[in-house]
């Protein structure tokens, strides 16, 4: 692995950890409240995406349609 790629991965991980720390700090360190908020946000965004998908015309997007499911792997 090149040093440049390794540095990039470290920076990406640091940015991700900053986001996690920020989300936890918003809820005073309460992990359960953080997860509940993130799940509620996901639900809201999926509902908004479904509404947008209904309202969009196929010609408007040249055949592209949004997909509510992720195609990348989620860290477990």
């Amino acid at each position: 692995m090149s040093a440049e790629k390794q540095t990039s991965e470290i920076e990406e991980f640091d940015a991700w950890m900053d986001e996690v720390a920020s989300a936890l700090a918003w809820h005073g360190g309460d992990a359960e409240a953080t997860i509940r908020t993130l799940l509620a946000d996901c639900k809201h965004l999926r509902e908004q995406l479904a509404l947008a998908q209904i309202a969009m015309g196929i010609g408007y997007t040249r055949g592209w349609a949004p997909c509510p499911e992720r195609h990348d792997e989620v860290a477990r």
Side-chain angles (χ1 to χ4, degrees), residues 1-70:
M1 179 181 297
S2 71
E4 182 178 317
K5 181 175 173 86
Q6 189 175 19
T7 302
S8 174
E9 289 177 355
I10 291 170
E11 289 172 353
E12 186 177 317
F13 179 77
D14 287 344
W16 177 78
M17 284 303 296
D18 288 344
E19 290 178 5
V20 171
S22 294
L24 283 168
W26 180 263
H27 293 283
D30 185 347
E32 184 176 339
T34 302
I35 292 169
R36 288 182 186 281
T37 298
L38 292 172
L39 289 173
D41 287 348
C42 285
K43 180 181 178 192
H44 170 74
L45 292 172
R46 286 180 183 269
E47 290 170 354
Q48 293 296 304
L49 182 60
L51 290 172
Q53 192 172 12
I54 291 168
M56 287 174 34
I58 292 187
Y60 177 74
T61 60
R62 298 180 188 236
W64 176 85
C67 178
E69 300 302 319
R70 292 176 55 170

Side-chain angles (χ1 to χ4, degrees), residues 63-76:
W64 176 85
C67 178
E69 300 302 319
R70 292 176 55 170
H71 294 290
D72 60 337
E73 290 192 28
V74 178
R76 295 173 195 238

